[in-house]
Amino acid sequence: MPTESDTGYDPSLGRKFIFVTGGVMSGLGKGITAASTGRLLANAGFDVTAVKIDPYLNVDAGTMNPFQHGEVYVLKDGGEVDLDLGNYERFLDIDMTFDHNVTTGKVYEHVINKERAGDYLGKTVQIIPHITDDIKRRIREAAEGSDVCIIEVGGTVGDIEGMPFLEALRQFAHEEDEEDILFTHVTLVPYSKNGEQKTKPTQHSVKELRSIGLQPDILVGRSPNPLDAETREKIALFCDVPVDAVFSNPDVEDIYHVPLALEEEGLDQYVLDHFELTESAATAEAYDTTWRETVTRETDDEVSVALVGKYGLEDAYISIHEALKHAGLQRKTAVDSHWIHSEELADGHDGRLDDVDGIVVPGGFGARGTEGKIEAIRYAREHDVPFLGLCLGFQMAVVEYARNVLGLPGAHSAELDSETPHPVIDLLPEQKDLDDMGGTMRLGTHITEIKEGTLAHELYDGTTCEERHRHRYEVNPAYIEDLEEAGLVFSGTSGRRMEILELPEHPYFFGTQFHPEFRSRPTRASPPFVGFLDGIHATRGDN
Ligand code: GLN
């Protein structure tokens, strides 16, 4: 059972649930709206958590292609989930678990397994009640221990796949006290050719919602500009909500400013009033303003960072972009990170890397574009350009060193060239007999032991670090001694596994087998990223 939180809120009054649905079209920023609402409640002192519902049939996001879906986010328990969970972790500054991502695949797999086990005692197993019961159970379990749980339903109202979830929410609302439930619907408010804000798409989408028995309490209109008074009134009238329950969520220069914009709109106050939590909320003076102070910090300079990868979709590297931003907030530096297609660098960089202050080579799978990544790493190493290699980027740094310093022609990762004479990166032994691809990598948090006196030691300010992993390959133990003799330093290890590499003579050449980007937060930047910016500043002579 939850304990009393900092606000003195008595959980026996009932845990609060905020359901967030979306209308008109996907990609509206529904997740950011939901996470921002959570941030505001956390500022007021409540323990907030979130559940992301993904109505697709995949059990998890682990097998999904970043070209289509963006990054696969990794949780501490190894859950491979939708990138929205990354936003929740960053906005709420919490660590979530795999149970916080509910997919159709997970729910059906569980119910069908129970049916096969005979647990339904001969009954006909149906979407209502068996699937909907399982959805409700999952939401309640994930909410355990928090004051407020935000449940975001992926996709758009009206999608066939989302129906069982919306039905489960309808039932859920009936089972809880009215003042413990709040439905927020986020829609697009487009402009007509003559510059008028149009409410019809919102009206239609709310009509759709009401036809399945859900009445929104709050409407959030996404639009480039704030909603006009007239637009708000119209939405209120047609969608049957009070006019002060219609909120604007206009475009802002940075996603971390969305909570500030919603706060100015009074969304948090409205939610607290609805939940009858105003009395429990911290007094105005006690409101935590750390978020506001952090994200509005002035910057002193700007650096340009090249992200050399093969996935063209911005979302494919979202956690890395955010981690660079967090390091920038900490160092008062604006980071302009731009993507360079690794395939285009394969035959040399043609000056494309000349003007960048630092190079990041991110994680990835498959051979495409790897020669370009290796070229970029070589350039960084030879020209003293600060370099950060993450997972595959770490592995490619080992390959580059083996080829160009150790002198092993054709050295490669066995993943990318099965015929290589020097597989300096090889399959993890426990991966050898695996057939299934889903959820079978080395995943989640593992402890890395850090060697004293190294850069890693300085950055992490200690002899261990706990970071998240997602890989099948590792540095081949047969080559470690030779690589180290040639000057490469493995400053972090986990048993026989190499976790961190660095080059002492270089301004900043740092690679990690793990993904430090997943633990980076706006108010707690990740050490390798901060070190990277420090390396850039040192190289430019700023410090
Ligand atoms: N493909 C590499 C491996 O499986 C790297 C994975 C990654 O970058 N996440 O080990």
Side-chain angles (χ1 to χ4, degrees):
M1 279 307 283
T3 52
E4 270 194 22
S5 70
D6 308 341
T7 55
Y9 170 62
D10 175 3
S12 68
L13 294 174
R15 204 171 291 122
K16 311 296 184 185
F17 298 90
I18 302 179
F19 295 110
V20 182
T21 52
V24 184
M25 65 173 214
S26 60
L28 274 180
K30 171 166 42 96
I32 298 295
T33 308
S36 299
T37 307
R39 177 69 254 162
L40 294 175
L41 298 175
N43 288 351
F46 296 97
D47 288 329
V48 183
T49 193
V51 172
K52 171 77 197 291
I53 291 175
D54 283 309
Y56 46 64
L57 271 164
N58 303 60
V59 171
D60 63 37
T63 53
M64 288 178 147
N65 185 340
F67 277 117
Q68 242 182 47
H69 275 271
E71 157 190 288
V72 176
Y73 190 76
V74 183
L75 299 172
K76 66 174 179 184
D77 64 358
E80 298 171 279
V81 296
D82 186 89
L83 56 83
D84 273 318
L85 277 88
N87 283 325
Y88 286 111
E89 288 206 338
R90 288 185 281 266
F91 275 75
L92 300 176
D93 195 6
I94 53 170
D95 282 349
M96 298 163 91
T97 54
F98 195 36
D99 321 325
H100 291 248
N101 193 195
V102 179
T103 65
T104 299
K106 257 189 204 174
V107 172
Y108 276 71
E109 185 183 52
H110 179 78
V111 170
I112 291 170
N113 285 343
K114 267 177 74 174
E115 185 276 329
R116 290 290 81 187
D119 291 354
Y120 292 108
L121 307 173
K123 287 201 190 96
T124 308
V125 182
Q126 294 178 299
I127 292 180
I128 305 171
H130 302 101
I131 293 293
T132 48
D133 277 354
D134 194 60
I135 294 167
K136 291 182 288 178
R137 170 186 70 82
R138 285 170 189 272
I139 294 171
R140 289 200 170 91
E141 282 177 13
E144 195 75 13
S146 53
D147 303 330
V148 182
C149 182
I150 297 179
I151 303 98
E152 177 196 348
V153 186
T156 307
V157 167
D159 297 346
I160 288 181
E161 290 180 324
M163 289 302 186
F165 292 100
L166 296 176
E167 167 58 18
L169 302 195
R170 192 191 63 77
Q171 297 171 15
F172 197 107
H174 279 291
E175 292 163 8
E176 301 284 331
D177 290 337
E178 210 175 308
E179 70 273 12
D180 293 341
I181 300 283
L182 187 124
F183 279 94
T184 300
H185 190 55
V186 184
T187 69
L188 175 74
V189 178
Y191 278 85
S192 69
K193 263 203 197 118
N194 52 12
E196 238 179 277
Q197 288 177 335
K198 305 304 284 180
T199 65
K200 196 65 92 189
T202 302
Q203 294 178 36
H204 276 289
S205 147
V206 171
K207 203 166 148 194
E208 181 104 41
L209 204 53
R210 292 166 83 177
S211 74
I212 44 182
L214 296 177
Q215 166 64 37
D217 300 297
I218 284 181
L219 283 164
V220 179
R222 283 283 298 115
S223 187
N225 301 307
L227 301 182
D228 305 333
E230 208 183 308
T231 311
R232 292 179 201 247
E233 277 160 27
K234 217 162 168 187
I235 291 177
L237 183 65
F238 282 97
C239 302
D240 201 16
V241 295
V243 74
D244 59 353
V246 181
F247 294 91
S248 261
N249 184 358
D251 291 349
V252 288
E253 73 180 87
D254 188 289
I255 51 165
Y256 297 140
H257 293 181
V258 176
L260 312 183
L262 294 179
E263 189 177 26
E264 270 144 40
E265 284 273 307
L267 179 86
D268 51 339
Q269 208 49 53
Y270 192 90
V271 172
L272 291 172
D273 287 344
H274 175 96
F275 283 151
E276 298 171 4
L277 283 179
T278 323
E279 291 297 303
S280 312
T283 56
E285 304 89 72
Y287 259 57
D288 187 351
T289 52
T290 316
W291 182 274
R292 179 178 285 274
E293 281 149 23
T294 307
V295 304
T296 54
R297 212 168 270 165
E298 295 280 332
T299 52
D300 295 334
D301 69 338
E302 181 173 318
V303 300
S304 153
V305 171
L307 197 65
V308 181
K310 71 168 173 177
Y311 305 116
L313 190 71
E314 168 127 10
D315 274 352
Y317 304 112
I318 179 170
S319 291
I320 297 176
H321 280 291
E322 297 308 313
L324 285 166
K325 252 163 69 181
H326 305 161
L329 291 172
Q330 188 159 324
R331 289 293 188 250
K332 295 191 170 174
T333 297
V335 183
D336 168 30
S337 51
H338 54 276
W339 176 69
I340 295 186
H341 197 322
S342 46
E343 265 189 323
E344 290 167 11
L345 297 183
D347 305 318
H349 64 91
D350 292 333
R352 295 185 62 184
L353 296 173
D354 286 354
D355 298 327
V356 303
D357 298 311
I359 296 173
V360 176
V361 178
F365 295 82
R368 232 183 91 196
T370 41
E371 290 306 318
K373 291 180 189 173
I374 294 168
E375 256 321 292
I377 296 168
R378 180 158 83 130
Y379 177 84
R381 185 177 55 76
E382 291 179 346
H383 293 83
D384 280 351
V385 177
F387 161 76
L388 180 60
L390 306 168
C391 207
L392 185 66
F394 160 93
Q395 296 174 354
M396 291 306 102
V398 173
V399 169
E400 192 278 322
Y401 209 78
R403 285 186 190 177
N404 301 323
V405 181
L406 192 54
L408 301 177
H412 218 322
S413 161
E415 175 191 8
L416 312 169
D417 175 7
S418 54
E419 307 288 308
T420 172
H422 300 292
V424 289
I425 302 295
D426 204 2
L427 199 60
L428 289 161
E430 62 269 28
Q431 293 278 328
K432 296 219 157 99
D433 300 316
L434 283 179
D435 294 324
D436 280 353
M437 297 305 278
T440 55
M441 282 187 244
R442 179 171 181 247
L443 288 166
T445 300
H446 295 276
I447 297 176
T448 294
E449 307 287 338
I450 297 173
K451 290 200 184 102
E452 283 188 46
T454 59
L455 174 62
H457 185 222
E458 192 185 315
L459 292 177
Y460 279 100
D461 193 21
T463 51
T464 57
C465 68
E466 286 185 35
E467 298 278 15
R468 301 181 190 172
H469 295 70
R470 181 171 188 252
H471 63 121
R472 284 188 208 284
Y473 291 79
E474 63 168 343
V475 180
N476 185 341
Y479 290 89
I480 293 170
E481 227 181 281
D482 289 351
L483 286 162
E484 290 200 308
E485 262 169 36
L488 195 63
V489 172
F490 288 110
S491 51
T493 54
S494 167
R496 56 187 280 282
R497 208 148 281 157
M498 299 303 105
E499 294 277 7
I500 306 177
L501 66 76
E502 54 190 76
L503 282 179
E505 300 307 318
H506 192 282
Y508 190 82
F509 193 95
F510 201 79
T512 62
Q513 179 60 77
F514 48 77
H515 291 271
E517 67 272 24
F518 295 139
R519 288 199 65 200
S520 183
R521 306 282 182 261
T523 50
R524 282 183 296 123
S526 163
F529 286 85
V530 177
F532 178 61
L533 291 193
D534 288 348
I536 290 176
H537 285 136
T539 318
R540 301 203 316 188
D542 295 353
N543 292 338

mmCIF file with all atom_site columns, all heavy atoms in Angstrom, residues 7 43-44 278-288:
data_model
loop_
_atom_site.group_PDB
_atom_site.id
_atom_site.type_symbol
_atom_site.label_atom_id
_atom_site.label_alt_id
_atom_site.label_comp_id
_atom_site.label_asym_id
_atom_site.label_entity_id
_atom_site.label_seq_id
_atom_site.pdbx_PDB_ins_code
_atom_site.Cartn_x
_atom_site.Cartn_y
_atom_site.Cartn_z
_atom_site.occupancy
_atom_site.B_iso_or_equiv
_atom_site.pdbx_formal_charge
_atom_site.auth_seq_id
_atom_site.auth_comp_id
_atom_site.auth_asym_id
_atom_site.auth_atom_id
_atom_site.pdbx_PDB_model_num
ATOM 1  N N   . THR A 1 7   ? 3.312  15.446 0.516   1.00 0.00 ? 7   THR A N   1
ATOM 2  C CA  . THR A 1 7   ? 2.251  16.444 0.611   1.00 0.00 ? 7   THR A CA  1
ATOM 3  C C   . THR A 1 7   ? 1.371  16.217 1.826   1.00 0.00 ? 7   THR A C   1
ATOM 4  O O   . THR A 1 7   ? 0.532  17.039 2.147   1.00 0.00 ? 7   THR A O   1
ATOM 5  C CB  . THR A 1 7   ? 1.326  16.338 -0.600  1.00 0.00 ? 7   THR A CB  1
ATOM 6  O OG1 . THR A 1 7   ? 0.873  14.995 -0.652  1.00 0.00 ? 7   THR A OG1 1
ATOM 7  C CG2 . THR A 1 7   ? 2.025  16.695 -1.870  1.00 0.00 ? 7   THR A CG2 1
ATOM 8  N N   . ASN A 1 43  ? 5.851  18.702 -9.113  1.00 0.00 ? 43  ASN A N   1
ATOM 9  C CA  . ASN A 1 43  ? 6.318  19.977 -8.537  1.00 0.00 ? 43  ASN A CA  1
ATOM 10 C C   . ASN A 1 43  ? 5.521  20.327 -7.286  1.00 0.00 ? 43  ASN A C   1
ATOM 11 O O   . ASN A 1 43  ? 6.035  20.935 -6.356  1.00 0.00 ? 43  ASN A O   1
ATOM 12 C CB  . ASN A 1 43  ? 6.165  21.126 -9.535  1.00 0.00 ? 43  ASN A CB  1
ATOM 13 C CG  . ASN A 1 43  ? 7.169  21.052 -10.665 1.00 0.00 ? 43  ASN A CG  1
ATOM 14 O OD1 . ASN A 1 43  ? 8.089  20.240 -10.630 1.00 0.00 ? 43  ASN A OD1 1
ATOM 15 N ND2 . ASN A 1 43  ? 6.983  21.885 -11.672 1.00 0.00 ? 43  ASN A ND2 1
ATOM 16 N N   . ALA A 1 44  ? 4.233  19.946 -7.294  1.00 0.00 ? 44  ALA A N   1
ATOM 17 C CA  . ALA A 1 44  ? 3.373  20.253 -6.148  1.00 0.00 ? 44  ALA A CA  1
ATOM 18 C C   . ALA A 1 44  ? 3.565  19.242 -5.017  1.00 0.00 ? 44  ALA A C   1
ATOM 19 O O   . ALA A 1 44  ? 2.898  19.329 -3.992  1.00 0.00 ? 44  ALA A O   1
ATOM 20 C CB  . ALA A 1 44  ? 1.914  20.290 -6.590  1.00 0.00 ? 44  ALA A CB  1
ATOM 21 N N   . THR A 1 278 ? -6.410 20.181 -3.545  1.00 0.00 ? 278 THR A N   1
ATOM 22 C CA  . THR A 1 278 ? -5.845 21.503 -3.326  1.00 0.00 ? 278 THR A CA  1
ATOM 23 C C   . THR A 1 278 ? -5.307 21.641 -1.909  1.00 0.00 ? 278 THR A C   1
ATOM 24 O O   . THR A 1 278 ? -4.236 22.185 -1.683  1.00 0.00 ? 278 THR A O   1
ATOM 25 C CB  . THR A 1 278 ? -6.881 22.593 -3.632  1.00 0.00 ? 278 THR A CB  1
ATOM 26 O OG1 . THR A 1 278 ? -7.637 22.140 -4.735  1.00 0.00 ? 278 THR A OG1 1
ATOM 27 C CG2 . THR A 1 278 ? -6.234 23.904 -3.965  1.00 0.00 ? 278 THR A CG2 1
ATOM 28 N N   . GLU A 1 279 ? -6.059 21.079 -0.958  1.00 0.00 ? 279 GLU A N   1
ATOM 29 C CA  . GLU A 1 279 ? -5.643 21.164 0.449   1.00 0.00 ? 279 GLU A CA  1
ATOM 30 C C   . GLU A 1 279 ? -4.327 20.424 0.688   1.00 0.00 ? 279 GLU A C   1
ATOM 31 O O   . GLU A 1 279 ? -3.502 20.838 1.483   1.00 0.00 ? 279 GLU A O   1
ATOM 32 C CB  . GLU A 1 279 ? -6.722 20.540 1.350   1.00 0.00 ? 279 GLU A CB  1
ATOM 33 C CG  . GLU A 1 279 ? -8.003 21.331 1.401   1.00 0.00 ? 279 GLU A CG  1
ATOM 34 C CD  . GLU A 1 279 ? -7.787 22.715 1.989   1.00 0.00 ? 279 GLU A CD  1
ATOM 35 O OE1 . GLU A 1 279 ? -7.301 22.782 3.126   1.00 0.00 ? 279 GLU A OE1 1
ATOM 36 O OE2 . GLU A 1 279 ? -8.083 23.711 1.308   1.00 0.00 ? 279 GLU A OE2 1
ATOM 37 N N   . SER A 1 280 ? -4.158 19.294 -0.024  1.00 0.00 ? 280 SER A N   1
ATOM 38 C CA  . SER A 1 280 ? -2.965 18.466 0.189   1.00 0.00 ? 280 SER A CA  1
ATOM 39 C C   . SER A 1 280 ? -1.743 19.004 -0.525  1.00 0.00 ? 280 SER A C   1
ATOM 40 O O   . SER A 1 280 ? -0.618 18.704 -0.156  1.00 0.00 ? 280 SER A O   1
ATOM 41 C CB  . SER A 1 280 ? -3.196 17.056 -0.344  1.00 0.00 ? 280 SER A CB  1
ATOM 42 O OG  . SER A 1 280 ? -4.406 16.564 0.103   1.00 0.00 ? 280 SER A OG  1
ATOM 43 N N   . ALA A 1 281 ? -1.971 19.784 -1.574  1.00 0.00 ? 281 ALA A N   1
ATOM 44 C CA  . ALA A 1 281 ? -0.827 20.237 -2.364  1.00 0.00 ? 281 ALA A CA  1
ATOM 45 C C   . ALA A 1 281 ? 0.041  21.183 -1.556  1.00 0.00 ? 281 ALA A C   1
ATOM 46 O O   . ALA A 1 281 ? -0.448 21.918 -0.712  1.00 0.00 ? 281 ALA A O   1
ATOM 47 C CB  . ALA A 1 281 ? -1.324 20.952 -3.615  1.00 0.00 ? 281 ALA A CB  1
ATOM 48 N N   . ALA A 1 282 ? 1.323  21.122 -1.847  1.00 0.00 ? 282 ALA A N   1
ATOM 49 C CA  . ALA A 1 282 ? 2.257  22.002 -1.154  1.00 0.00 ? 282 ALA A CA  1
ATOM 50 C C   . ALA A 1 282 ? 1.811  23.453 -1.359  1.00 0.00 ? 282 ALA A C   1
ATOM 51 O O   . ALA A 1 282 ? 1.257  23.791 -2.399  1.00 0.00 ? 282 ALA A O   1
ATOM 52 C CB  . ALA A 1 282 ? 3.649  21.798 -1.743  1.00 0.00 ? 282 ALA A CB  1
ATOM 53 N N   . THR A 1 283 ? 2.040  24.269 -0.402  1.00 0.00 ? 283 THR A N   1
ATOM 54 C CA  . THR A 1 283 ? 1.648  25.677 -0.540  1.00 0.00 ? 283 THR A CA  1
ATOM 55 C C   . THR A 1 283 ? 2.463  26.325 -1.644  1.00 0.00 ? 283 THR A C   1
ATOM 56 O O   . THR A 1 283 ? 3.522  25.834 -2.007  1.00 0.00 ? 283 THR A O   1
ATOM 57 C CB  . THR A 1 283 ? 1.929  26.435 0.772   1.00 0.00 ? 283 THR A CB  1
ATOM 58 O OG1 . THR A 1 283 ? 3.296  26.247 1.077   1.00 0.00 ? 283 THR A OG1 1
ATOM 59 C CG2 . THR A 1 283 ? 1.068  25.952 1.908   1.00 0.00 ? 283 THR A CG2 1
ATOM 60 N N   . ALA A 1 284 ? 1.970  27.407 -2.156  1.00 0.00 ? 284 ALA A N   1
ATOM 61 C CA  . ALA A 1 284 ? 2.616  28.044 -3.308  1.00 0.00 ? 284 ALA A CA  1
ATOM 62 C C   . ALA A 1 284 ? 4.115  28.244 -3.095  1.00 0.00 ? 284 ALA A C   1
ATOM 63 O O   . ALA A 1 284 ? 4.913  27.994 -3.975  1.00 0.00 ? 284 ALA A O   1
ATOM 64 C CB  . ALA A 1 284 ? 1.934  29.364 -3.606  1.00 0.00 ? 284 ALA A CB  1
ATOM 65 N N   . GLU A 1 285 ? 4.505  28.640 -1.898  1.00 0.00 ? 285 GLU A N   1
ATOM 66 C CA  . GLU A 1 285 ? 5.937  28.906 -1.652  1.00 0.00 ? 285 GLU A CA  1
ATOM 67 C C   . GLU A 1 285 ? 6.755  27.615 -1.701  1.00 0.00 ? 285 GLU A C   1
ATOM 68 O O   . GLU A 1 285 ? 7.920  27.620 -2.026  1.00 0.00 ? 285 GLU A O   1
ATOM 69 C CB  . GLU A 1 285 ? 6.176  29.554 -0.278  1.00 0.00 ? 285 GLU A CB  1
ATOM 70 C CG  . GLU A 1 285 ? 5.421  30.831 -0.005  1.00 0.00 ? 285 GLU A CG  1
ATOM 71 C CD  . GLU A 1 285 ? 4.077  30.551 0.611   1.00 0.00 ? 285 GLU A CD  1
ATOM 72 O OE1 . GLU A 1 285 ? 4.045  30.164 1.778   1.00 0.00 ? 285 GLU A OE1 1
ATOM 73 O OE2 . GLU A 1 285 ? 3.069  30.696 -0.099  1.00 0.00 ? 285 GLU A OE2 1
ATOM 74 N N   . ALA A 1 286 ? 6.112  26.509 -1.332  1.00 0.00 ? 286 ALA A N   1
ATOM 75 C CA  . ALA A 1 286 ? 6.862  25.254 -1.261  1.00 0.00 ? 286 ALA A CA  1
ATOM 76 C C   . ALA A 1 286 ? 6.924  24.540 -2.607  1.00 0.00 ? 286 ALA A C   1
ATOM 77 O O   . ALA A 1 286 ? 7.551  23.503 -2.731  1.00 0.00 ? 286 ALA A O   1
ATOM 78 C CB  . ALA A 1 286 ? 6.235  24.341 -0.217  1.00 0.00 ? 286 ALA A CB  1
ATOM 79 N N   . TYR A 1 287 ? 6.280  25.085 -3.616  1.00 0.00 ? 287 TYR A N   1
ATOM 80 C CA  . TYR A 1 287 ? 6.326  24.460 -4.942  1.00 0.00 ? 287 TYR A CA  1
ATOM 81 C C   . TYR A 1 287 ? 7.769  24.299 -5.383  1.00 0.00 ? 287 TYR A C   1
ATOM 82 O O   . TYR A 1 287 ? 8.577  25.209 -5.231  1.00 0.00 ? 287 TYR A O   1
ATOM 83 C CB  . TYR A 1 287 ? 5.591  25.344 -5.958  1.00 0.00 ? 287 TYR A CB  1
ATOM 84 C CG  . TYR A 1 287 ? 4.208  24.848 -6.262  1.00 0.00 ? 287 TYR A CG  1
ATOM 85 C CD1 . TYR A 1 287 ? 3.273  24.668 -5.250  1.00 0.00 ? 287 TYR A CD1 1
ATOM 86 C CD2 . TYR A 1 287 ? 3.838  24.556 -7.566  1.00 0.00 ? 287 TYR A CD2 1
ATOM 87 C CE1 . TYR A 1 287 ? 2.000  24.209 -5.537  1.00 0.00 ? 287 TYR A CE1 1
ATOM 88 C CE2 . TYR A 1 287 ? 2.567  24.101 -7.861  1.00 0.00 ? 287 TYR A CE2 1
ATOM 89 C CZ  . TYR A 1 287 ? 1.647  23.928 -6.846  1.00 0.00 ? 287 TYR A CZ  1
ATOM 90 O OH  . TYR A 1 287 ? 0.407  23.480 -7.133  1.00 0.00 ? 287 TYR A OH  1
ATOM 91 N N   . ASP A 1 288 ? 8.062  23.139 -5.929  1.00 0.00 ? 288 ASP A N   1
ATOM 92 C CA  . ASP A 1 288 ? 9.421  22.883 -6.383  1.00 0.00 ? 288 ASP A CA  1
ATOM 93 C C   . ASP A 1 288 ? 9.641  23.604 -7.722  1.00 0.00 ? 288 ASP A C   1
ATOM 94 O O   . ASP A 1 288 ? 8.978  23.305 -8.710  1.00 0.00 ? 288 ASP A O   1
ATOM 95 C CB  . ASP A 1 288 ? 9.621  21.372 -6.536  1.00 0.00 ? 288 ASP A CB  1
ATOM 96 C CG  . ASP A 1 288 ? 11.052 21.020 -6.834  1.00 0.00 ? 288 ASP A CG  1
ATOM 97 O OD1 . ASP A 1 288 ? 11.849 21.953 -7.086  1.00 0.00 ? 288 ASP A OD1 1
ATOM 98 O OD2 . ASP A 1 288 ? 11.384 19.826 -6.814  1.00 0.00 ? 288 ASP A OD2 1
#
